[in-house]
Amino acid sequence: MLEQVKTIAVDGPSASGKSSVSKGVAAELGFIYVDSGALYRGVTWQAIRKGADPQDAKAVVDAMHAADWHFFVQDGAAIFSIDGDVPVQELREKDVREAVADVAVIPEVRTFVVESLRTLKNFGSLVMEGRDIGSVVFPDSPYKFYLDADPEERAMRRYRELVAAGEDEKAHEVMESLKKRDQIDSTRKTDPLVVAPGAHKIDSTSMTLDEVIETIVGAVKGNS
Ligand code: DC
């Protein structure tokens, strides 16, 4: 019998460890890793480079629809090009980081991203990290996980990441910006960050990365 395509949803707030965990789970299971936030960042990046004000929903949506998007798999991860360019580092830069939460609340942007994410199943089994993967993108998946950690721990993780990336950041500013992102992500009208029905909740505050990965891999294998 043909092996069925599986979708593993890993949701949770900023800096909850979703990326490292999802990459680890994908590597262990041989699935394709998908960073759904990268698409919201891609829409934001495209809007900015086309001179659209990220606060102007119509301008953002026009820039998004006018662009030529292509999705493909490279080194075990799903990535995309926009008008022939593949933004990677650009998506992490400050202008995108600061505007993306506003762009991600635009309903047309969410529709476009959710539909694009669903098409990635054509590439094979996926581990997709995000905020609404278990609740909106793949609500029927039996493999839904909600990763959380204490806000202080998440702020410290994000701070260490930024410092390692050479950013000149202050710990208390990272804490403030994380709180602001949590607030926007959990209170927005369209697809707020919620624990999807049936999701397996994992508090990673005092777990190692490997422990979290093994918890998910074990649950998926036990359920297959
Ligand atoms: O995970 P991230 O920091 O790259 O996410 C960037 C933004 O996109 C953040 O404001 C949350 C939003 N997002 C979302 O609304 N839904 C997703 N599935 C993924 C990200």
Side-chain angles (χ1 to χ4, degrees):
M1 205 175 85
L2 252 174
E3 179 85 355
Q4 210 197 339
V5 168
K6 295 189 178 85
T7 49
I8 301 179
V10 182
D11 290 304
S14 291
S16 54
K18 291 179 311 242
S19 302
S20 314
V21 166
S22 303
K23 283 177 192 160
V25 171
E28 196 152 325
L29 294 173
F31 289 10
I32 298 159
Y33 163 71
V34 187
D35 170 9
S36 67
L39 265 85
Y40 293 99
R41 289 170 182 263
V43 173
T44 308
W45 176 72
Q46 178 69 1
I48 293 172
R49 76 169 174 159
K50 289 290 167 189
D53 175 355
Q55 305 276 346
D56 179 348
K58 186 179 178 313
V60 171
V61 170
D62 286 348
M64 175 183 83
H65 285 315
D68 186 23
W69 294 75
H70 280 286
F71 294 86
F72 51 100
V73 176
Q74 192 173 296
D75 300 329
I79 53 174
F80 52 86
S81 63
I82 313 176
D83 287 343
D85 297 314
V86 180
V88 178
Q89 200 42 49
E90 293 84 342
L91 303 182
R92 305 278 139 202
E93 279 164 13
K94 200 163 185 168
D95 52 348
V96 171
R97 199 164 76 220
E98 287 182 346
V100 66
D102 291 321
V103 169
V105 297
I106 302 171
E108 291 91 332
V109 170
R110 301 205 68 82
T111 303
F112 169 78
V113 171
V114 168
E115 284 173 1
S116 303
L117 292 171
R118 288 185 181 140
T119 67
L120 301 177
K121 266 177 91 168
N122 296 330
F123 291 125
S125 290
L126 311 172
V127 181
M128 189 176 287
E129 63 149 303
R131 306 288 195 288
D132 62 341
I133 310 307
S135 55
V136 176
V137 181
F138 295 125
D140 298 333
S141 169
Y143 313 108
K144 300 184 203 178
F145 300 88
Y146 185 92
L147 213 57
D148 208 350
D150 290 347
E152 292 74 20
E153 172 65 20
R154 290 192 285 119
M156 275 321 288
R157 288 179 189 170
R158 178 53 50 93
Y159 173 68
R160 280 188 230 112
E161 257 170 42
L162 291 169
V163 170
E167 300 262 353
D168 181 22
E169 296 279 345
K170 310 241 174 341
H172 70 274
E173 285 173 10
V174 175
M175 183 78 204
E176 282 313 307
S177 116
L178 199 87
K179 277 191 190 152
K180 193 172 147 218
R181 285 269 294 274
D182 280 0
Q183 168 77 7
I184 296 178
D185 289 344
S186 55
T187 57
R188 65 169 180 238
K189 286 201 193 75
T190 326
D191 309 339
L193 173 65
V194 288
V195 182
H200 178 152
K201 226 176 148 183
I202 303 173
D203 182 342
S204 73
T205 308
S206 49
M207 288 171 83
T208 65
L209 174 61
D210 283 346
E211 282 169 347
V212 182
I213 293 172
E214 288 320 314
T215 302
I216 296 181
V217 169
V220 171
K221 284 187 173 162
N223 209 343
S224 315

